Amino acid sequence: MNFSEKIIDGKKIAADVNRETAMEVAAITKDFGARPGLAVVLVGDNPASKVYVSSKVKRCAELGIYSEKIVLPKETSQAELLQVIAKLNVNPLIHGILVQSPVPKHIDEQAVVNAINPDKDVDCFHARNVGRLLLGDFSGFLPCTPWGVMQLLKRSEIPTAGKHAVIIGRSNIVGKPMMALLSAKGADATVTLCHSRTPDIAAFTRNADLIVAAVGKPEFLRGNMVKDGAVIIDVGINRVEAPGTEKGYRLVGDVAFDEVAPKASRITPVPGGVGPMTIAMLMKNTVRAFHLALKH
């Protein structure tokens, strides 16, 4: 296998998923005379969040999904934000609701998640949807980034059954749901979840057939921490200073790519790996939300 064949091309796979979604949306529009709708709420002026929100709204337009972007000042109170969510919960044009994270510190993010109608919770953060995930009920929403990782593996024909998967990071957004998906029937991996309090993480990663790095630390996973032939999924995206470059920074993952790639059998790049899949699966969840609304 030459080096380029090692790369798991998230941009290409996401484009395939988006084509499928666009076809599904077109069929829905034709059959029902309506479109799936997504509301994206942004509180404050975080520059990265602005970019993420704009990219989600743009993707909706490309796929034929109706979208509403609601931008609120950073001074918005929790009560005011919950009022906005309450209106979206009963808006028949909106099937999915997403509140861009992080919210300002004076707002309780969990209270915001709990306020969203679980049938419109396209991020899959609500306790009801997380519970279904842990019970192995995949008929509703799946968390966008972990679901995107599973699609990368499936569409790249990378087997997981009987493999030892090590996840670095225990966040509710990636680490924990990733554990649930990889260990579920059908995926059938044996999963080890490592985190900041795990002593000697390398002792686990060196025995892993598959590593999912989602720790939020630039180039944390080094070449001496992986075995030859391992599959590496890099969920991280970090800005590091790069003096002398036009932007003054560069984007790197949680994996030291130049060290790890020569040893890996397959690896995702940063950018262009997991990132494009997250928005692609958000669009899939929005379509699922439309079908869910039809049942009620």
Side-chain angles (χ1 to χ4, degrees), residues 78-115:
Q78 183 165 311
E80 288 168 333
L81 176 56
L82 294 181
Q83 280 183 333
V84 170
I85 292 170
K87 288 178 182 177
L88 293 172
N89 279 340
V90 296
N91 184 339
L93 296 177
I94 297 299
H95 305 96
I97 302 169
L98 180 153
V99 178
Q100 184 64 44
S101 183
V103 291
K105 289 183 179 178
H106 65 274
I107 293 175
D108 179 354
E109 195 154 10
Q110 193 56 51
V112 172
V113 169
N114 292 343

Side-chain angles (χ1 to χ4, degrees), residues 50-256:
K50 281 183 176 178
V51 172
Y52 292 143
V53 166
S54 295
S55 61
K56 288 164 185 172
V57 171
K58 181 184 175 189
R59 189 56 40 82
C60 283
E62 290 169 354
L63 303 184
I65 293 171
Y66 170 73
S67 71
E68 288 186 15
K69 179 168 78 168
I70 300 164
V71 180
L72 303 171
K74 62 184 176 184
E75 299 80 17
T76 300
S77 70
Q78 183 165 311
E80 288 168 333
L81 176 56
L82 294 181
Q83 280 183 333
V84 170
I85 292 170
K87 288 178 182 177
L88 293 172
N89 279 340
V90 296
N91 184 339
L93 296 177
I94 297 299
H95 305 96
I97 302 169
L98 180 153
V99 178
Q100 184 64 44
S101 183
V103 291
K105 289 183 179 178
H106 65 274
I107 293 175
D108 179 354
E109 195 154 10
Q110 193 56 51
V112 172
V113 169
N114 292 343
I116 296 172
N117 178 346
D119 290 340
K120 296 190 177 188
D121 168 40
V122 286
D123 260 336
C124 193
F125 290 164
H126 193 282
R128 193 184 82 180
N129 293 323
V130 174
R132 283 181 169 173
L133 170 68
L134 289 174
L135 290 171
D137 178 359
F138 300 158
S139 62
F141 304 126
L142 295 176
C144 301
T145 299
W147 189 15
V149 170
M150 296 305 292
Q151 287 295 311
L152 287 177
L153 295 170
K154 180 180 178 181
R155 293 169 186 250
S156 301
E157 299 182 345
I158 296 170
T160 55
K163 303 298 183 182
H164 180 206
V166 171
I167 301 165
I168 311 173
R170 57 179 167 182
S171 74
N172 291 332
I173 297 173
V174 181
K176 290 177 186 174
M178 195 78 252
M179 175 181 65
L181 289 174
L182 280 169
S183 61
K185 285 185 179 179
D188 301 313
T190 300
V191 182
T192 301
L193 182 68
C194 297
H195 48 78
S196 59
R197 295 300 178 95
T198 303
D200 193 12
I201 287 176
F204 297 95
T205 56
R206 287 192 196 104
N207 290 309
D209 303 305
L210 166 66
I211 300 172
V212 180
V215 70
K217 294 183 179 179
E219 301 182 324
F220 175 83
L221 189 74
R222 316 299 302 197
N224 62 359
M225 296 172 70
V226 304
K227 70 177 183 181
D228 288 336
V231 175
I232 311 295
I233 304 292
D234 191 351
V235 180
I237 185 156
N238 311 282
R239 284 188 181 191
V240 297
E241 289 184 9
T245 63
E246 185 180 337
K247 292 181 178 177
Y249 68 87
R250 61 190 178 95
L251 294 177
V252 300
D254 291 352
V255 175

